[in-house]
């Protein structure tokens, strides 16, 4: 995928990837072998008919391609941008053996972007049965969208003041423009999705109240909303943030435009981001766009272990993010006013590789050193948000707080299903896959 | 959109609003808070729920004009709307029969302690209320406090009402005179900290309601984290009430200063825009 010049793009929040031109799209689509036994589909958590939509693209008919896409995927413009296709559909492409997989994600993005905003081609026989979806992130929106298509009356409850969950507050504009998200939401609303903001189910309204109001099933998709802190000295110094806080300030609250918007964000010079996932990359690149001179990404293992998508790593490096691998923070050091001024780190080395090829690391005693920083962002992952699970009598969670579900994604309570990060998912598409499965299971449950 | 149903100026730059939010009114309990955002460009701020009217579906908030958002909130009138209003958030106060309760509040903290006192009194606790303010005018809700307390003491910095001094001066006398089973304190951090220092020595359980900076208010960001018993806690999810003797007060004080400079910029801009015609679009 062609991308904008790193030296220009690192100064703004415009999209990094340019998207295919028509001729690039046609060239790529025509490479598809249209295999009879389409392995690529097996790699897709929501089972998109990949050769089917690509076929329409070869005929230069993105609208028909999008109709095929949307049959299985309620958020194709999002997935075309943020799915780790290299580990999913593209990995199973027969051409991957020659390292020439079809760029399915880029084609998906082209079709979704070029498609009409009109969903009227989907005829729905409404059954009037009410379903409540809790959380408007990828799992909730997908589940809700699927249920709408088969006739259910879906209401999505969101605790924040805007829709989309991590797609809104987490993933930055330069990777997923919010007008792309808004377009997908527009399509879902057109299908009949009702979205109620500012409602924290469990507190504003209980699950029991939902059933009393006539909802026949509930899907919990509240996400993994409790950032992990490393439990080391100085972690609560000023200008040490969780990645969630930093990204919420920028993406949801528009703090980059302070004081036009009221929410502030600190524009640091020397930023240290701890972590190696996609969130760490998003955080580092956002800090750069806010004007940081120097952004270091501190990761405890080697680049081989970094969990972020390769594309994100490449983009981050092109923009000037410095990767400091085999390094772990030991403590944070503050000035007299308790603002962070440095991170004390320790070096890590590869200790052992076992017979299964697993690599073990350990700290190098005495290798402590200091990295100067006036802001630190911790991208160490999230625990499941405990609020709703703790307020539902009889709902069983595991020791980490994840909601336990059976094979049908039903929780310990009848009629209450759960999916996405609250049951241990990790990616947007995984959450969407669970949302889709939950919709089928809810249908089965209600028809039993 | 959440409609402002009533407004009342209950002190200098202290206002009491009732907001139409029936779902919140139905489920709100003493000690909980709401997150509000005035408009699309607004910030999210927490405010403690000062009371509810179940029949009419109203939630009462009481606030002092201190920052940009509270100044802007104060400029709204009956019939106008607040864009976002979410709650009730945080754990409710643990209401049970303790025996004798000393309830201490400073400034607008009075609005927050009142619903707690009311519920504690319903369970036949003896309530000794101690209210502190800079001067007489800043003492709010006097009559309501008297209604639900066995005795009410006031302390003002300048002696214009009650004793001249601080709530801690009153507290010391009270605990020397009788056995107090638990203390609830809501107010400025330095006040809660000073109370904690006294009661820790006397081994009296003291619960404080903390007010760190919040962003989402439901555990997602950790902006409100504090150290309690040497562990990082989130005030929004784990609190807002904590055992005062375990709180790292120095850290809380420093974290409240995080965006001081930004707040000044926002206030200056708000005041300028309010006064200057060429800025009004």
């Amino acid at each position: 995928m062609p991308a904008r010049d790193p030296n220009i793009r690192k100064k703004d929040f415009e999209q990094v990837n340019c998207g295919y031109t028509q001729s690039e799209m046609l060239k790529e689509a025509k490479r598809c072998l249209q295999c009879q036994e389409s392995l690529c589909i097996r790699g897709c958590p929501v089972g998109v008919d990949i050769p089917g939509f690509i076929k329409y693209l070869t005929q230069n008919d993105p609208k028909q391609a999008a109709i095929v896409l949307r049959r299985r995927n309620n958020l194709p413009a999002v997935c075309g941008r943020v799915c780790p296709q290299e580990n999913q559909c593209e990995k199973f492409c027969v051409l991957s053996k020659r390292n020439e997989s079809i760029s399915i994600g880029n084609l998906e993005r082209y079709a979704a972007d070029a498609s009409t905003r009109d969903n009227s081609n989907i005829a729905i026989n409404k059954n009037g049965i009410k379903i409540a979806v809790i959380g408007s992130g990828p799992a909730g929106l997908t589940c809700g969208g699927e249920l709408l298509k088969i006739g259910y009356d879906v209401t999505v409850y969101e605790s924040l003041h805007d829709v989309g969950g991590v797609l809104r507050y987490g993933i930055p504009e330069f990777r997923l423009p919010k007008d792309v998200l808004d377009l997908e939401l527009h399509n879902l609303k057109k299908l009949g999705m009702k979205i109620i903001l500012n409602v924290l189910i469990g507190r504003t309204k209980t699950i029991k109240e939902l059933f009393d109001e006539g909802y026949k099933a509930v899907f919990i998709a509240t996400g993994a909303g409790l950032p992990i802190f490393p439990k080391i000295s100085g972690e609560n110094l000023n200008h040490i943030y969780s990645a969630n806080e930093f990204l919420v300030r920028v993406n949801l609250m528009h703090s980059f435009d302070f004081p036009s918007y009221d929410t502030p964000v600190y524009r640091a010079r020397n930023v240290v981001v701890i972590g190696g996932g996609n969130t760490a990359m998003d955080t580092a690149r956002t800090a750069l766009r806010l004007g940081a001179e120097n952004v270091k990404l501190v990761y405890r293992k080697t680049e081989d272990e970094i969990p972020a998508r390769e594309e994100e790593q490449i983009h981050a490096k092109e923009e000037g993010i410095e990767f400091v691998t085999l390094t772990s923070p030991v403590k944070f050091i503050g000035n007299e006013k308790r603002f962070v001024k440095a991170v004390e780190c320790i070096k890590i080395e590869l200790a052992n590789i076992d017979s299964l090829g697993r690599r073990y690391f350990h700290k190098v005693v005495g290798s402590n050193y200091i990295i100067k920083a006036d802001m630190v962002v911790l991208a160490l992952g999230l625990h499941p948000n405990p609020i709703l699970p703790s307020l539902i009598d009889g709902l069983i969670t595991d020791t980490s707080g994840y909601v336990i579900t059976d094979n049908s994604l039903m929780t310990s309570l009848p009629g209450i299903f759960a999916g996405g990060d609250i049951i241990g998912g990790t990616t947007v598409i995984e959450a969407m896959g669970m949302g889709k499965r939950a919709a089928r299971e809810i249908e089965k449950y209600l028809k039993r | 959109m959440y409609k402002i149903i009533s407004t009342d100026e209950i002190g200098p730059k202290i206002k009491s609003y009732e907001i139409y939010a029936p779902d919140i009114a139905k489920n709100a309990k003493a000690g909980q808070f709401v997150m509000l955002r005035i408009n699309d460009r607004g910030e999210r701020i927490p405010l403690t729920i000062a009371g509810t009217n179940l029949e009419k579906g109203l939630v009462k908030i009481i606030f002092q004009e201190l920052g940009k958002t509270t100044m802007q909130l104060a400029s709204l009138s009956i019939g106008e709307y607040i864009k976002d209003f979410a709650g009730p958030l945080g754990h409710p106060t643990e209401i049970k029969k303790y025996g004798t309760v000393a309830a201490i509040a400073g400034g607008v903290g009075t609005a927050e302690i009142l619903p707690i006192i009311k519920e504690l009194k319903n369970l036949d606790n003896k309530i000794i209320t101690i209210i502190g303010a800079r001067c007489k005018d800043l003492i709010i809700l006097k009559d309501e406090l008297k209604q639900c307390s066995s005795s009410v003491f006031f302390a003002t910095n300048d002696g214009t009402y009650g004793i001249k001094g601080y709530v801690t001066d009153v507290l010391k006398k009270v605990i020397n005179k009788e056995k107090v089973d638990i203390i609830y304190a809501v107010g400025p951090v330095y006040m809660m900290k000073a109370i904690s220092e006294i009661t820790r020595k006397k081994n009296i359980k003291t619960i404080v309601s903390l007010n760190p900076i919040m962003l989402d208010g439901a555990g997602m960001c950790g902006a409100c984290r504090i150290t309690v018993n040497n562990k990082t806690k989130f005030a929004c999810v784990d609190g807002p009430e904590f055992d005062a003797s375990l709180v790292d007060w120095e850290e809380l004080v420093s974290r409240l200063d995080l965006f001081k400079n930004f707040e000044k910029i926002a206030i200056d801009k708000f005041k300028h825009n309010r006064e200057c015609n060429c800025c009004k679009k």
Side-chain angles (χ1 to χ4, degrees), chain A residues 159-162 169 197-200 203-206 209 213 224-227 229 231 235-242 244-246 248-249 252-254 257-267 337-339 378 382 385-387 390, chain B residues 2 23-24 26-27 32 37 39-44 68-69 72 83-92 213-223 225-227 232 234 237 248 250-251 254-259 262-263 265-266 269:
Chain A
S159 69
L160 287 170
H161 61 255
D162 207 349
Y169 71 74
L197 302 172
N198 295 318
V199 174
L200 180 66
R203 291 271 186 225
T204 315
K205 206 178 255 210
T206 62
E209 283 175 274
E213 286 174 17
L226 204 70
F229 286 87
K231 296 191 172 77
E235 68 183 21
N236 297 339
L237 288 168
N238 281 335
H239 293 326
I240 297 183
Y241 302 93
S242 72
N244 257 17
E245 177 177 357
F246 181 66
V248 165
R249 284 185 183 278
L252 180 70
M253 305 309 295
H254 297 256
D257 202 4
F258 176 90
S260 276
Y261 283 76
D262 290 341
T263 305
V265 67
Y266 180 58
R267 290 170 185 262
K337 287 185 171 168
R338 294 193 181 221
F339 282 71
L378 306 164
L382 302 149
N385 192 307
I387 298 179
S390 72
Chain B
Y2 301 81
D23 287 337
I24 303 177
K26 193 175 164 195
N27 286 312
Q32 291 185 297
R37 192 177 71 128
N39 59 31
D40 275 332
R41 291 182 172 240
E43 62 178 342
R44 297 168 63 92
K68 189 259 172 181
T69 300
Q72 191 177 3
K83 182 87 200 301
D84 302 294
F85 197 73
L89 302 172
H91 288 293
I213 294 170
M214 287 190 187
L215 185 57
D216 76 289
M220 208 178 78
C221 77
R225 64 197 196 276
I226 48 171
T227 301
T232 294
F234 290 8
V237 176
D248 181 339
E250 302 299 325
E251 180 184 275
S254 72
R255 287 187 64 79
L256 285 167
D257 279 347
L258 177 55
F259 289 116
F262 292 85
E263 187 63 39
I265 295 168
K269 180 170 176 262

Side-chain angles (χ1 to χ4, degrees), chain A residues 166-184:
Chain A
V166 71
L167 305 174
R168 177 76 57 186
Y169 71 74
I171 302 177
E173 187 81 19
F174 57 83
R175 230 160 40 90
L176 175 63
K178 297 306 162 247
D179 53 4
V180 170
L181 175 60
D182 288 335
L183 168 70
E184 302 277 35

Side-chain angles (χ1 to χ4, degrees), chain A residues 303-373:
Chain A
E303 285 195 22
D304 292 338
E305 280 88 10
I306 282 193
R309 289 185 71 188
E310 198 187 351
E311 183 182 47
E312 305 308 326
Q313 295 182 47
I314 293 168
H315 282 165
K317 283 183 185 165
E318 283 172 356
E319 290 167 10
I321 308 291
E322 186 187 333
F323 284 41
V324 183
T325 52
L326 289 170
T327 302
S328 186
V330 179
K331 70 173 183 184
F332 303 105
I333 300 161
N335 65 16
E336 66 288 351
K337 287 185 171 168
R338 294 193 181 221
F339 282 71
V340 70
K341 65 174 187 185
V343 186
E344 184 180 321
C345 292
I346 191 163
K347 296 232 169 89
I348 309 280
E349 64 183 9
L350 182 64
N352 189 20
I353 303 176
D354 72 10
S355 54
L356 294 167
R358 286 178 300 203
R359 287 144 65 94
Y360 293 89
F361 295 86
H362 69 193
K363 290 174 182 170
V364 182
V365 179
S367 66
N368 298 39
Y369 71 109
I370 300 286
I371 301 177
K372 209 172 86 177

Side-chain angles (χ1 to χ4, degrees), chain B:
Chain B
M1 301 284 273
Y2 301 81
K3 195 174 188 176
I4 301 170
I5 304 299
S6 76
T7 64
D8 191 7
E9 188 152 1
I10 59 171
K13 303 221 175 226
I14 302 175
K15 291 202 166 166
S16 171
Y17 283 8
E18 283 178 303
I19 313 293
Y20 183 69
D23 287 337
I24 303 177
K26 193 175 164 195
N27 286 312
K29 295 188 181 72
Q32 291 185 297
F33 62 95
V34 291
M35 293 296 300
L36 70 80
R37 192 177 71 128
I38 297 176
N39 59 31
D40 275 332
R41 291 182 172 240
E43 62 178 342
R44 297 168 63 92
I45 64 156
L47 283 177
T48 302
I49 296 170
T52 53
N53 180 330
L54 211 55
E55 266 170 37
K56 293 182 179 165
L58 305 181
V59 174
K60 187 191 280 184
I61 48 171
I62 294 178
F63 59 95
Q64 189 170 15
E65 290 180 54
L66 283 175
K68 189 259 172 181
T69 300
T70 43
M71 284 177 191
Q72 191 177 3
L73 192 59
S75 72
L76 301 178
S77 318
I78 292 178
E80 289 194 274
Y81 290 85
I82 293 169
K83 182 87 200 301
D84 302 294
F85 197 73
L89 302 172
H91 288 293
T93 305
E94 198 183 336
I95 303 293
K96 60 179 190 188
K97 172 99 190 196
Y98 294 101
T100 302
V101 181
I104 313 171
V108 275
T110 309
E112 302 175 22
I113 204 111
L114 187 61
I116 298 174
I117 299 177
K118 278 184 184 163
E119 292 205 23
L120 286 171
K121 189 180 184 264
N122 286 342
L123 290 185
D124 287 332
N125 287 290
K126 182 186 174 188
I127 315 283
I128 301 167
T129 301
I130 307 169
I131 303 296
R134 242 177 304 159
C135 62
K136 186 185 171 189
D137 272 4
L138 288 166
I139 290 175
I140 54 172
L141 306 165
K142 231 178 286 170
D143 297 336
E144 289 91 333
L145 290 167
K146 283 177 182 164
Q147 270 171 31
C148 12
S149 314
S150 307
S151 46
V152 188
F153 300 94
F154 295 96
T156 47
N157 299 15
D158 59 358
T160 44
Y161 199 79
I163 69 140
K164 183 175 189 302
Y166 300 100
V167 288
T168 42
D169 300 325
V170 182
L171 176 66
K172 280 181 204 160
K173 281 182 193 158
V174 168
I175 56 180
N176 280 336
K177 220 167 76 184
E178 67 182 297
K179 184 177 169 287
V180 170
D181 297 293
I182 191 166
I183 292 172
Y184 274 89
V186 189
V189 179
Y190 64 84
M191 181 201 92
M192 294 190 283
K193 181 177 176 237
I195 291 167
S196 173
E197 276 159 16
I198 295 167
T199 60
R200 194 173 40 198
K201 281 179 213 147
K202 296 261 179 185
N203 241 337
I204 305 170
K205 187 167 184 186
T206 302
I207 306 293
V208 285
S209 178
L210 301 184
N211 55 346
I213 294 170
M214 287 190 187
L215 185 57
D216 76 289
M220 208 178 78
C221 77
C224 65
R225 64 197 196 276
I226 48 171
T227 301
V228 180
N229 205 11
N230 298 317
K231 290 193 184 88
T232 294
K233 296 277 178 192
F234 290 8
C236 66
V237 176
D238 303 311
E241 294 179 358
F242 293 95
D243 182 333
S245 66
L246 304 175
V247 172
D248 181 339
W249 293 102
E250 302 299 325
E251 180 184 275
L252 177 60
V253 168
S254 72
R255 287 187 64 79
L256 285 167
D257 279 347
L258 177 55
F259 289 116
K260 225 177 181 177
N261 300 338
F262 292 85
E263 187 63 39
K264 198 180 167 300
I265 295 168
I267 290 172
D268 287 349
K269 180 170 176 262
F270 177 72
K271 284 184 176 167
H272 179 78
N273 287 359
R274 195 168 51 182
E275 284 145 22
C276 151
N277 281 319
C278 59
C279 295
K280 283 175 189 157
K281 281 174 192 162

